[in-house]
């Protein structure tokens, strides 16, 4: 085990919450697989591949820690423990001030029925892990932002779990995971720093003169009424990529026409009224 | 229509590819809903809420443009058009040098069978849009990185679609969408700049002294052999968040013990051999 | 905001229930996207396209209202409020007569962990919104029935939510949404009335003489014993589409033979026993 | 087998298309399970339960027919057959005029790799059947509209498949399925007729005076400019449910204020800037 | 109804748990559809097809029983019943010793909101049934193991549900389902016995001399340190299929090199730094 | 790399097929995660935990090999290669005899658009990996059957991929993976042998006298007509678990009555006609 996992006061409700850190979109299965797939698909500087492989491998150990913590929290807790939990202020705050007792025992049927008091590859609602979350785009800068994002929401989740428990073992385990997320946020940002200022806009290999030059640094307000310029960095001054000037459009005006699609394919069996609409439209003596 | 959508040479295969920009994880449905949910849940500076609402609303128009482009590309194309497409170099390169003709007509059954030659809420493989992709964490900095990531993979996708077509109308539409993605990348990064240097590590409201201080800025190598220090920004020097010094651990040493879970709950009906293992283990004359 | 959203007594459990009206199959994300996709793909009378676009846009405002209501209900509720809720008769009835207290605080981990007390793109079990629910068939009559169905289950859901709360603000918001669902049911049915009697069977552009004329208006009983004719409109008299006469078949008799598939493809690696079965079968001296 | 399934000219591409009628949202698995679940959950007039059970059972036979058809179409087809298919006009039209040859063989890997040339519980893109499609609301009228909708899109799908093939065996099988869908559309509509005029709005057991009386029969235009009244049944005259008068609102005016959510829960770890915004806002000497 | 379904003391929480046996991966919808699809796709000895069809049909009746049990448990329970449930020891054990009262009423919103107190096509967390679980591989032996596995986890689930209730009607219904699972485990194993010793390794029609002969009966230890030989049947002696000798590799040594992928396709828009890495690499005066 | 991955003739179509072995239900992500979760949740003999951990770790290397093979096959193939592929007999057989050329280039858009010519966490149809496939039941025997099943369908898949390619590098890689699947089938069966004859029926810790003794070893025929006894091991003789005698029931007779559910909850808003049905039924002067 990468780091000690101890549970002094098993809490089945906390077990369920920990599942979010295993199989949720902010969880460790996602980052583990994301870094490994990015490594395996890596084309470009070799050192990034090695870094991704190292960190992807590290994350397997995090899943193990969390799965073990889930299993331990599902083991027989005593009533007195739960009583104590009921008086815990954070649980009270989060849940609207009411006794945490109501929490206990809920949502746990699945862990009893399907996994025999073990962890599952799901989030805290029992929704299965989904492979679509594994981002590996083939562009190193886009991937790094995907990784910063994953570690930002991941660290946020870990701090919220830290607040939810007062078990010293669990707090200690989470203080380790939070620390690693700090490192990983910094790590992916370090790659972006190394790639240099010119990594933006992503991808930086597209000839930027081919993008529409009228709208590439303009902030559009889209309300029913014109808006006044926001007091924000994104509406004036040099753009963050250093390649343009922010401007502000108080009310976006559509410049495209309404589309006119052709008639339905007769073999696609729209209603006859739909097809007649086109015949009417092309009939000079009528309109619709 | 926010911007003109014209298709000179309808190409059903390109219609299918465009679906990725509608219902794929990098697509417009995701950013549209992500910005709107972030706005609706916004707690904190009001100006960010307004910005998110403006841009979320703008994205609805992008879905409309793409949906219209899909429908137009699915309308009756002539043979001669397809012949031309067959000689297009990017299609050839992407597909391994073989004639693009083979491409034409494939994967389109679903658009004929289910949508009557219209767009669907799916990606380019027909996999439905999934609400789990809509990230709104309640932390503005985490959300901004989620947005930069979405616009980075989104612009990457749009440039790849731009390479796949030589229809002037489609290239023009994509040059607009690529430009907007440039703006949106810059826009979310502008918020991060405005939040200032101290937005890291995310969340910045967690008391950082509570995280494990031994491991929060160390890069772990995890191979079977010790590694030498990488020549990368992430293994030495001041950390990006300015709050630590990067260090390097050539081979991670697990500091936790193997876990020992308790015996299975008898009512959970593990095999009897599993339960006997524990009886054996607690038998004073043996250990495992 | 389209209509006022007020919450006098925040109730986190009700927040979770409201999620069904956002990201559930009967929810507002579905109707919003369904009407917009139908509009964008619209081929046929233009006025239907405009109607769909208007109502699709209206539904965005409904999601906003509900998302705001979720966030407000997740904000800090006081104990006294919950006590009151505990005595509410509908909650009691629905939950089997037991105190509603048990409800409070359950199932809420996800909203604390992932969304920072905000709404998510999921249903009330945390299952993500799914793009497969967005129906746009290319046939206006089929689409209208899909819309009537969506508004029927949607209004049903809203009335059940209305029964679940006694917060005056929530009841007021729901009375608005219920009213809009009344209108929308009527609206889609009005299109069907306008399309006229002959819109059935859908699609009405298929040459009906091509369908099997022996079975197109017969009600089949499928039990192990013959049944007597049901006392229902569907087993006698003129059919609803006016194009046939209902009849009744007391016990359906299969008219097809058992199918006989060919031998497995040798390269598909069935078991050898499966392949031998065919050799045996074609061997004149044996039978199986 | 309920009805003969014959394939004269096996066509693997058509096999894949047929999968939509098995495991797609418009397919037979959905209607089969939907009618059975509605029957099993039925509370109310017994005769509807019996009807649902009969038809749900019938649909099992339809899945069998289609699964058999898929397997037969996946069996070894000869080249000459495919040549013929290549000249089939509907395939050409649907696919943009190009030779159908390109179609052949594509998308079939999954049926070879996973099912050994058999049918699967997926749609024509290989996306698995999803239980969320099984609608049983507990309200008989809402369920009947769900059923009419399922049979409308189902018959539409079957007619499109009918157009896609010229195999006499497949056309015959489809002419049977199309006929049954005609009956089933009529059957569910017959229940609605029997329930009488007053089944609307659904649910009809909700006290309608409790819904907002200002907006329950008004059609809202939602554009940026006021619109003129549409020339449609839904904007004037008696409502379809006979309980109101349609009216028209040329431009919807929001009547709710912008929402103001409370500050983030400190333990939820928003960014500090988000929390400070509230402190600023309540500071009398400042505004944002 | 195949077997009596009686509920003496309706328990809504147990209703939710029963859903796992309907729409969970171990549930009856899966086995029902799995056996029917295997039958419909059956190529090879006809008697297996008939067996599969019989048992697939039987399972429909099991879903009916469970769906009815769910609906009955959702009907109005009285307070006194719940009090009794609260003192039930297994519920206490599973939930950590705390009063079962907390359980009651939780997680039930969905059944009230969406199904009108009826069963749904979901598992006990509300996650929809998924068609990917329906395994029919085209190889009879692989399918039989899939079936044994389904009945093993299915019987396990049923025994856990049996422990969760003390309603005599529910215990009786489950004793029937448990018995049928006993039969079905035996039944699929009987087919494997009948197929004979040589059914392994699956598929047995692949020429085994084509598989790598160095690694087909070796157990690999994969730790960072060499391991000592396990005291297990799988590391020494004749292999179970009788076609090899088990051996033990104390520490697996990779025999493949690191892969070297080619440069990114320029039209795929990796970052320019990724492409330059390859130019550097081929430049004779440098290395990375 | 665990074993060499070489591709002599890159074939993008084969890349897509290989995806089934990565992210399909029979693929390596499933077995990898399944064995690791079973290990992490392991309660009972420690040696099984170690075995699972070793093999789970080994499977990570298999995913790496396959991901690399996908990336290599997606790299620029030349026309001449494809011409050769076109004449490959297995491809012809599988696809119905038509030139493989049609195959080439199809279905690849996603790999170009989303992953920059790299592997993804999906199956060969682009459907994402799903965590519900990861089975860890808490019962070692049930888990072992789940593992045998996974390796049986996995080896079947690998042999089918072996038939699909004639690239010597790919055939070599697959001969390694096929060999490992042979070992793993034997390995899990060795555990079952070690657990002994009495591991059946699973779970063997449930008191079997509690299951219904009339139906636990009877094979039910379920047709509309009585059937004659099948000539199969499962209908006569001693049961495989040695605990009963198989018997045969020629036609299953339902022993339960039709269920009668109570009236709908008035607050659940069924239609009024549904509620009236119950009033009618209890009205002494009428019947329905």
């Amino acid at each position: 085990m990468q780091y000690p996992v101890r549970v002094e006061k098993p809490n089945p409700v906390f077990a369920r919450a920990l599942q979010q850190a295993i199989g949720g979109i902010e969880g460790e299965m996602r980052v583990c697989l994301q870094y490994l797939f990015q490594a395996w698909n890596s084309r470009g500087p070799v050192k990034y591949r090695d870094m991704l492989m190292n960190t992807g491998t590290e994350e397997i150990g995090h899943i193990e820690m969390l799965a073990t913590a889930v299993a331990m929290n599902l083991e027989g807790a005593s009533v007195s423990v739960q009583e104590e939990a009921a008086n815990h202020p954070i649980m009270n705050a989060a849940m609207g001030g009411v006794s945490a007792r109501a929490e206990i025992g809920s949502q746990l049927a699945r862990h009893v029925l399907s996994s025999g008091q073990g962890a599952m590859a799901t989030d805290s609602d029992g929704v299965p892990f989904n492979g679509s979350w594994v981002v590996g785009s083939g562009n190193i800068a886009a991937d790094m932002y995907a990784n910063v994002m994953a570690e930002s929401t991941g660290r946020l989740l870990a701090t919220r779990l830290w607040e939810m428990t007062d078990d010293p073992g669990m707090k200690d385990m989470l203080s380790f995971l939070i620390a690693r997320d700090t490192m990983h946020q910094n790590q992916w940002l370090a790659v972006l720093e190394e790639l240099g200022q010119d990594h933006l806009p992503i991808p930086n290999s597209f000839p930027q003169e081919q993008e529409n030059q009228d709208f590439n640094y303009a902030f559009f307000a889209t309300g029913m009424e014109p808006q006044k310029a926001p007091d924000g960095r994104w509406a004036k001054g040099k753009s963050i990529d250093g390649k343009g000037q922010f401007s502000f459009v108080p009310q976006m005006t559509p410049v495209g026409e309404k589309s006119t699609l052709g008639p339905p394919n007769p073999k696609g069996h729209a209603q006859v009224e739909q097809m007649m609409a086109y015949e009417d439209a092309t009939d000079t003596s009528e309109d619709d």
Side-chain angles (χ1 to χ4, degrees), chain A:
Chain A
M1 193 82 65
Q2 217 172 88
Y3 190 84
V5 177
R6 289 172 300 106
V7 176
E8 297 191 8
K9 315 181 206 166
N11 180 342
V13 173
F14 193 61
R16 182 82 183 202
L18 285 168
Q19 281 286 149
Q20 190 68 20
I22 294 177
I25 194 171
E26 323 91 327
E28 303 283 358
M29 289 180 69
R30 189 250 185 109
V31 286
C32 174
L33 290 163
Q34 183 158 302
Y35 303 159
L36 291 176
F37 270 87
Q38 288 179 9
W40 295 329
N41 291 339
S42 179
R43 290 184 160 94
V46 169
K47 65 178 178 179
Y48 299 134
R49 176 190 175 96
D50 292 343
M51 178 183 62
L52 286 161
M53 195 79 86
N54 276 315
T55 307
T57 303
E58 180 189 345
E59 304 286 9
I60 301 172
H62 295 189
I63 312 177
E64 180 177 30
M65 289 167 62
L66 286 159
T68 304
V70 165
M72 286 180 168
N73 273 290
L74 289 167
E75 290 181 0
S78 72
V79 173
S80 62
V81 169
Q82 308 298 350
E83 293 292 326
E84 229 172 291
N87 298 315
H88 190 241
I90 171 62
M91 189 82 96
N92 287 353
M95 299 313 178
V98 87
S99 161
R101 230 191 243 175
E103 261 308 271
I104 290 156
S106 73
Q107 292 196 319
L108 298 172
R110 190 69 188 295
H111 284 279
V112 173
L113 296 174
S114 292
S115 75
Q117 296 179 288
M120 298 193 293
T122 69
D123 73 10
S124 65
D125 279 328
V127 179
F129 176 82
N130 188 299
S132 66
W133 304 337
V134 177
V135 174
S137 70
N139 178 295
I140 184 89
D143 286 357
M144 287 304 113
Y145 278 111
N147 298 354
V148 174
M149 175 268 206
E151 297 285 349
S152 298
T153 49
R155 191 174 183 268
L156 184 58
L157 173 62
T159 63
R160 288 167 174 171
L161 288 166
W162 188 91
E163 297 283 2
M164 255 191 196
T165 184
D166 58 4
D167 184 286
M170 285 295 93
K171 269 191 145 42
D172 184 46
M173 178 189 81
L174 288 163
S175 79
F176 173 77
L177 294 174
I178 293 168
R180 295 311 297 155
D181 289 351
T182 297
M183 175 58 198
H184 294 156
Q185 280 183 31
N186 277 277
Q187 178 175 331
W188 312 126
L189 287 165
V191 175
L192 288 164
E193 185 186 301
E194 208 174 74
L195 290 173
Q197 272 298 86
D198 277 345
H199 73 260
L200 296 170
I202 296 169
N204 66 354
S205 60
F206 180 78
Q208 205 180 345
E209 67 277 11
Q210 294 288 359
E211 75 184 18
N212 185 307
Q213 303 294 314
D214 297 331
F215 302 117
N216 50 358
Y217 293 101
F219 180 72
F220 288 173
T222 55
M224 293 179 74
E225 306 292 324
Q227 295 175 26
K228 61 187 170 93
D231 176 26
R233 178 66 184 83
W234 57 89
K236 59 176 173 290
K238 201 177 189 57
S239 66
I240 306 299
D241 63 13
K243 293 171 182 164
Q245 289 288 326
F246 284 131
S247 64
F248 174 65
V249 177
Q251 187 177 34
M252 190 181 55
T253 321
V255 299
E257 310 168 10
K258 276 195 179 179
S259 72
T260 316
L261 300 184
N265 185 325
K267 305 279 184 172
H269 292 302
Q271 292 292 92
V272 291
E273 292 79 3
Q274 292 175 274
M275 300 176 200
M276 290 187 323
Y278 285 85
E279 289 167 23
D280 293 355
T282 55
D283 183 336
T284 53
S285 60
E286 293 190 18
D287 61 50
D288 69 319

